[in-house]
Amino acid sequence: MKERLIFIAVIGGSDVSPPVETLAEEVGREIARHGAVLVCGGLSGVMEAACRGADGEGGLTVGILPGDNRLSANPYVKIPIATGIGYARNAAVAKSAQAVIAIDGSYGTLTEIAYALQGGIPVIGLDTWSISINDREDTSIIRASSPKEAVESAVELIKDRQSEGE
Amino acid sequence: MKERLIFIAVIGGSDVSPPVETLAEEVGREIARHGAVLVCGGLSGVMEAACRGADGEGGLTVGILPGDNRLSANPYVKIPIATGIGYARNAAVAKSAQAVIAIDGSYGTLTEIAYALQGGIPVIGLDTWSISINDREDTSIIRASSPKEAVESAVELIKDRQSEGE
Amino acid sequence: MKERLIFIAVIGGSDVSPPVETLAEEVGREIARHGAVLVCGGLSGVMEAACRGADGEGGLTVGILPGDNRLSANPYVKIPIATGIGYARNAAVAKSAQAVIAIDGSYGTLTEIAYALQGGIPVIGLDTWSISINDREDTSIIRASSPKEAVESAVELIKDRQSEGE
Amino acid sequence: MKERLIFIAVIGGSDVSPPVETLAEEVGREIARHGAVLVCGGLSGVMEAACRGADGEGGLTVGILPGDNRLSANPYVKIPIATGIGYARNAAVAKSAQAVIAIDGSYGTLTEIAYALQGGIPVIGLDTWSISINDREDTSIIRASSPKEAVESAVELIKDRQSEGE
C-alpha cells in the first residue's frame, strides 16, 4: 500500500520580527524532520522562514501564492501555485492542509485560522490570536509552547484522524 | 454632480436563532432608511433577515453568493452575484462595502471581519467576535448596542471618509 | 407578484478601437432601454463604453471587478463588486448573467465565453471569437449583426427560459 | 546552484473517451520521463489518466482542485491543493505551469487555454480547440501530433525561456 503524504500549513504575517522568524524557521525544520509537506502562502516573513527551515532539512514545500506569477514565491518554495486570486487564497492555504500551525498575528492569519476552524481542520497556535464571543473564549485553537510541541501535536492529530479513516 | 451610493455589508451566520434574525432584520431596515445599499453573502440566516428588512423599506440589496447559480440567492436579494468561488467570496463581501456590520458569530463571519480589518474597512459589531493577541484585545471592532446605533455609526464613518476624499 | 429583474452581461477587452467602443456603447443603451441590468467586468474599453451607454439611458450597471478596491470601477458603474480574485472573476461575470453579449476579442473575453457556455448561459456574439474542434465549428455562439439585434436576442432567450420556469 | 523544477500542465475534460485517456496517460508518462512536475485540475478523465501515467514513471503530480476537500483528488495526485473556488481554479491551473498541453476539448479546457495565452504561457494542442476571430485563425496554439512531440515541445520552450532569463 502506498504511504500517504502528510500536509501541515504554517500561517503567519509577511512582515514579522526576527524572534517570530526564528520560531517559524524552527517549525519548518520540525515539519521536514517528521517527513511532512509544508504548505504556506508562499511569500515572505513567517512563510519564508518556515520554508527555509523545511528546505534546510530536505523537506518539500508548497507555496499557494496570491498573485498569478510563479516567480513571486520565496526562494525556498519548491512547488509554487500561482492562484491569482489575491487574499481569497487564504481559504486554499487552510483547506489544503490537514493541520494548521498559526504563528503571531496579522489579520490575514486570522482569516486562515477561521477558514481552518470552519473546515474542521485543527489549528495549533504559537503566540497567535485568541477569539471569544460574548466574553466566552472559543477554545478551538490549541496552544503550543514551542515549535517542537506544535508540530508534534499536528502530526499526532493527523495520524489519529487517519486511523479513524479520514 | 452625481450622488454616490453608499454600500454597507451585513455579515453573520446562515443558521442563527430567532433573536439574532430579529436583530439582522432591523439592521437591514435601518440601512434602507438611510438610503444605503445592503451588501451580503446572499444566503439564509442573518443575510436573509437583513435583506428582508431592507426590502420591506424599499432598499436595494446585493447578494454575493458562494455558488455559481444566481437562483440560490434568498428571495430578498435584488442583485445576485454568482461568484462560484465558495467561501473565498467572503473577501469580496467585506471589500465591496464601505463599512461592515457583524452580527453574532460563525467562523465565516470571523473571516469577513478579518478581511475587512485587513482592508481598512470599519467593522461595527453587534454581539459578535472579540479578538485578542497575547492577552491584549484588538479594539478595531467598534461595538454597537442596537441596530440603529450600528447603522448610524456605519453611515457616519463612511461620510467622514468621503469628505476626507476616499 | 414581484417582477424579476433581467441581467445581461457585456464582455469584451479593456483596450479596444473606437468603432468597438461605439458598438459596446450602443449595446449598453439597448440593454437599458429594455429595462435590463447590465453586468460587466467593471473596467475600461468595452466595459466602460457599455456602462456609459446604459447609464445615459438611466439603466442600472453592475461591475464585477478583478481588484479589491471598489474605486477602480469605471465612472458609469453604479454597483461595484470588489472581488479581489483577479481574472478568476471572469467566471463570476459570465455566471451572474442570464445571457452574455460578447464583443470583439481578447483572451479574457474567450474565457468568459467558455464559462458561459459551460454554464448553459446563451452567448450572443458581435465580431467576436469563433471556436472549432477538429475542424468542426462549435455553433453555440449565436451571431448578431447589430447591437439592437444582439440585445433583442438576449432578452427573448431570457424570457423564453423564464416562461419555461428557469 | 539549486536545479529548478519544471512544471507542465495537462488540461482536458473530466469525462472523455478511452482513446483520449490513452493519449493523456502517455503525455503524463512523457512528462515524468523528462523529470518535470505534472500540474492539473486533479479530477477524473484527462486529469486522472495523465496523473496515472506520470505516477507510473515515478513523477510528481500536483492537482489544483475546484472543491475544498483534499480527498476529492484522483488517486494519482501526490500534492492536492484544495482551492474551494470552483471552476475559477482554471486560471490557477494554467498560470501555475510554464507550458500547457491541451487535450481534446471541453469548455473548461477552453477557459484554461485562454488563461494561458492571456498570461503568455505557451499552449501545445493535441486534438483540441481552434480559435479564430473574424475568420482569421489565431495560431497561438502550437499543434503537436503525438504525446512525445507535445512534451518535447513544452520542455524545449521552457528551457529556451529559462536560458533567456525568465
Side-chain angles (χ1 to χ4, degrees), chain D residues 7-80:
Chain D
F7 296 82
I8 299 174
V10 179
I11 62 177
S14 58
D15 183 15
V16 297
S17 67
V20 171
E21 289 201 358
T22 303
L23 210 61
E25 188 166 349
E26 185 58 21
V27 168
R29 251 182 242 122
E30 285 293 328
I31 287 174
R33 283 173 194 147
H34 280 84
V37 179
L38 187 154
V39 175
C40 72
L43 300 180
S44 59
V46 162
M47 299 167 266
E48 179 161 348
C51 286
R52 189 169 55 235
D55 188 60
E57 296 285 326
L60 188 56
T61 54
V62 176
I64 303 179
L65 298 159
D68 55 14
N69 186 341
R70 299 164 48 255
L71 303 176
S72 61
N74 74 59
Y76 309 102
V77 168
K78 291 214 182 90
I79 313 278

Side-chain angles (χ1 to χ4, degrees), chain B residues 132-155:
Chain B
S132 58
I133 190 144
N134 295 329
D135 292 327
R136 203 162 34 84
E137 187 169 355
D138 179 322
T139 56
S140 307
I141 303 170
I142 300 159
R143 303 289 155 185
S145 57
S146 73
K148 201 166 182 308
E149 190 191 318
V151 177
E152 278 168 5
S153 293
V155 171

